[in-house]
């Protein structure tokens, strides 16, 4: 089986670096697309530097529907002469089809705790600015598919819901190269808290990755930090991947214990910025700003609350 090289492509965005990955297959692929400006500003020069051309890209593989992963999809598709296949899971496709879906996701989840009268307008403006175009995918995933990238290079698709309902892992078959987007959160990226809409699915997906997929090379959507503050980077070897997966499970277990305890005691509104989950932040020693978008603290707390209320 042919070994294919993987190159990270970095595009700047505010506090973040946005990471996409180029799979140097006979039919080249790019995993995740950053925001609207990323293809022209980040990917084109990065590909030129390795002697590749963006117009030759034939696959746009989206790990999930978040704005900083799908925002550049339309712009990248245009740069390929509309010849690339655009691939996303059906559970996240609304976020590729519609900017408004990002606002709806905000309003139905974290907005309930942020009490920000400008929030809806800000998320609307962010979606307008960051998303290069609303579009239909050409391949709608359910999970279990195998995509041919030419020659004998294939990529298999594994659903790993939790961070979002439609998160998937793309695995280059035979070499254990695994792209997971944001499905492995460890401590979370910039905000220092792991973000997932469904904690139970998140846990199951981490176990599946650890026990069944067992990545030889794990590619993350953001450079997550270890407990000691050291960033992992975005390209992990097999040992680092195991560490990151186990670490993510351990951290979720701690968050879960704190969240369920808080829910059992009953939620109370207070002046705390973490209200009504102040005991969770206190119990975990979390001191990050819970209001900074994308507010993973409140996204995850809402996930526990939803699950708890369904099961109690
Ligand atoms: Zn995400």
């Amino acid at each position: 089986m042919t070994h294919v090289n993987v190159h990270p492509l970095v595009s700047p965005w505010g506090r973040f670096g946005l990471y996409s990955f180029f799979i140097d297959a006979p039919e080249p692929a790019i995993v995740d697309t950053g925001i609207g400006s990323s293809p022209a500003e980040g990917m084109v020069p990065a590909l030129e530097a390795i002697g590749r051309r963006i117009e030759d890209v034939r696959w746009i593989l989206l790990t999930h529907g978040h704005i900083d992963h799908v925002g550049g999809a339309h712009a990248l598709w245009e740069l390929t002469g509309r010849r690339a296949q655009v691939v996303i899971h059906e559970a996240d496709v609304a976020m590729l089809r519609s900017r408004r879906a990002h606002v709806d996701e905000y309003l139905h989840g974290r907005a309930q705790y942020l009490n920000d009268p400008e929030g809806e307008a800000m998320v609307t403006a962010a979606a307008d600015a960051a998303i290069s175009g609303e579009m239909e995918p050409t391949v709608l995933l359910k999970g279990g598919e195998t995509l041919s990238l030419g020659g004998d290079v294939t990529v298999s698709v594994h659903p790993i819901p939790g961070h979002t309902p439609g998160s998937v892992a793309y695995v280059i078959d035979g070499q254990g190269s695994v792209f997971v987007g944001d499905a492995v959160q460890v401590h979370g990226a910039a905000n220092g808290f792991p973000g997932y809409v469904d904690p139970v699915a998140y846990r199951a997906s981490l176990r599946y990755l650890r026990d069944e997929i067992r990545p030889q090379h794990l590619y993350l959507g953001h450079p997550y930090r270890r407990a000691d503050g050291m960033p992992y980077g975005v390209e992990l070897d097999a040992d680092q991947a195991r560490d990151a997966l186990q670490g993510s499970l351990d951290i979720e277990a701690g968050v879960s214990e704190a969240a369920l305890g808080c829910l059992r005691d009953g939620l109370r509104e207070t002046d705390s910025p973490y209200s009504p989950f102040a005991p969770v932040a206190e119990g975990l020693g979390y001191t990050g700003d819970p209001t900074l978008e994308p507010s993973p603290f409140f996204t995850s707390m809402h996930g526990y609350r939803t699950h708890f209320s369904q099961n109690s």
Side-chain angles (χ1 to χ4, degrees):
M1 194 163 282
T2 318
H3 180 90
V4 290
N5 290 317
V6 173
H7 301 273
L9 310 171
V10 191
S11 310
W13 186 37
R15 306 182 281 144
F16 301 96
L18 298 179
Y19 287 84
S20 303
F21 297 94
F22 178 71
I23 302 176
D24 200 1
E27 295 181 20
I30 288 181
V31 181
D32 287 338
T33 64
I35 57 164
S37 59
S38 303
E41 290 177 10
M43 296 176 199
V44 168
L47 288 177
E48 268 173 20
I50 58 168
R52 296 292 183 271
R53 305 185 321 160
I54 205 153
E55 54 264 45
D56 296 331
V57 170
R58 287 294 169 272
W59 293 91
I60 299 171
L61 306 177
L62 301 168
T63 60
H64 66 295
H66 279 161
I67 201 167
D68 51 331
H69 295 256
V70 302
H74 190 273
L76 174 55
W77 184 60
E78 290 286 352
L79 287 170
T80 68
R82 300 191 167 194
R83 282 176 296 183
Q85 306 278 344
V86 181
V87 185
I88 192 168
H89 191 276
E90 60 184 5
D92 276 13
V93 70
M95 299 170 107
L96 182 68
R97 287 182 176 146
S98 152
R99 291 183 174 93
R100 181 68 199 178
H102 297 264
V103 183
D104 290 339
E105 190 217 21
Y106 168 81
L107 292 175
H108 291 136
R110 56 201 188 269
Q112 300 170 42
Y113 312 100
L114 292 167
N115 304 314
D116 180 356
E118 304 298 318
E120 182 175 355
M122 282 176 53
V123 175
T124 303
D128 285 345
I131 295 176
S132 52
E134 299 176 328
M135 69 184 302
E136 272 300 309
T138 51
V139 179
L140 193 55
L141 300 171
K142 291 179 182 296
E145 294 85 351
T146 298
L147 310 173
S148 173
L149 273 51
D152 60 357
V153 179
T154 58
V155 166
S156 56
V157 179
H158 301 260
I160 45 169
H163 176 67
T164 65
S167 290
V168 297
Y170 295 104
V171 179
I172 304 177
D173 295 318
Q175 65 182 65
S177 300
V178 182
F179 304 84
V180 294
D182 298 346
V184 179
Q185 287 272 300
V186 200
H187 285 272
N191 294 18
F193 200 89
Y196 34 81
V197 294
D198 182 338
V200 175
Y202 176 67
R203 196 180 308 152
S205 294
L206 290 169
R207 289 190 182 131
Y208 177 72
L209 287 165
R210 182 191 64 186
D211 301 337
E212 306 293 329
I213 302 285
R214 289 183 286 171
Q216 295 301 305
H217 309 274
L218 182 65
Y219 298 92
L220 303 176
H222 303 278
Y224 293 105
R225 297 181 183 83
R226 299 192 316 205
D228 61 9
M230 283 285 288
Y232 269 104
V234 294
E235 299 177 88
L236 280 55
D237 65 20
D239 287 343
Q240 293 169 323
R242 232 182 350 264
D243 264 15
L245 290 164
Q246 189 57 50
S248 298
L249 279 162
D250 294 345
I251 289 161
E252 191 282 325
V255 175
S256 176
E257 195 184 332
L260 297 186
C262 177
L263 288 163
R264 265 194 299 274
D265 293 344
L267 297 178
R268 268 187 303 277
E269 297 289 344
T270 64
D271 290 340
S272 162
Y274 307 96
S275 171
F277 303 104
V280 178
E282 197 179 325
L284 295 170
Y286 177 58
T287 55
D289 180 351
T291 68
L292 271 184
E293 273 293 287
S295 309
F297 178 79
F298 285 125
T299 297
S300 298
M301 287 305 116
H302 186 65
Y304 288 106
R305 183 185 189 178
T306 306
H307 192 77
F308 185 83
S309 61
Q310 281 166 356
N311 291 277
S312 61

